[in-house]
Amino acid sequence: MPHPSTSMNIFSVAGSAMAAQSQRMNVTASNLANAESVAGPDGKPYRAKQVVFEVASSGSGQQDIGGVKVAGVVEDPSPLKMVFDPKNPHADAKGYVAMPNVNVVEEMTNMISASRSYQANVEVLNTAKTLMVKTLTIGQ
């Protein structure tokens, strides 16, 4: 029979991963929504954002066992795309408009990866729950 704190650790690890992947999907959705935004509230083109993960402490004193947490959301430092559109009101003197540095293909790949990771963690939770229920029915 699994140790109770170990079983609860499985739920906390999978839960933290689900929360982190959910935030990753939100950031990816924001990037996709702003892929064609020429100017944001600050008047500058939107910059793609990326989620940075780190190991979350399990609280049991073991350094290498734990969930995942979001360390931060950082802006992608890649250069903005310059598109020649002299009729655009945001065009510079040469007729180029600075567009967001969002790569739609990469963002869709990120979205699929985050979605699959989220689904995998849901399966972990369901499997752990099923195992616990089966364990409780042993001997009945």
Side-chain angles (χ1 to χ4, degrees):
M1 181 171 169
H3 190 268
S5 65
T6 304
S7 300
M8 294 312 292
N9 192 20
I10 291 171
F11 291 112
S12 67
V13 168
S16 69
M18 290 170 59
Q21 294 301 332
S22 177
Q23 186 162 356
R24 182 179 172 200
M25 285 190 277
N26 285 336
V27 168
T28 302
S30 176
N31 287 343
L32 287 171
N34 289 296
E36 299 293 326
S37 299
V38 175
D42 58 355
K44 297 178 181 175
Y46 179 81
R47 286 201 163 268
K49 294 177 177 44
Q50 301 295 325
V51 177
V52 179
F53 296 133
E54 69 180 14
V55 176
S57 172
S58 64
S60 65
Q62 296 174 331
Q63 295 291 328
D64 56 345
I65 298 175
V68 63
K69 70 177 183 179
V70 175
V73 178
V74 297
E75 284 190 353
D76 185 349
S78 62
L80 299 172
K81 291 185 280 186
M82 299 303 288
V83 175
F84 184 71
D85 186 8
K87 293 181 182 177
N88 191 312
H90 294 282
D92 62 8
K94 295 180 181 177
Y96 285 94
V97 178
M99 298 294 288
N101 57 351
V102 176
N103 183 330
V104 175
V105 175
E106 286 180 10
E107 296 302 328
M108 289 304 297
T109 305
N110 266 340
M111 180 71 81
I112 291 169
S113 175
S115 175
R116 296 282 164 85
S117 295
Y118 190 93
Q119 290 172 349
N121 283 292
V122 168
E123 288 300 318
V124 167
L125 286 177
N126 285 333
T127 302
K129 183 181 87 177
T130 302
L131 289 174
M132 292 179 82
V133 169
K134 294 269 185 195
T135 302
L136 292 174
T137 60
I138 291 176
Q140 289 184 352

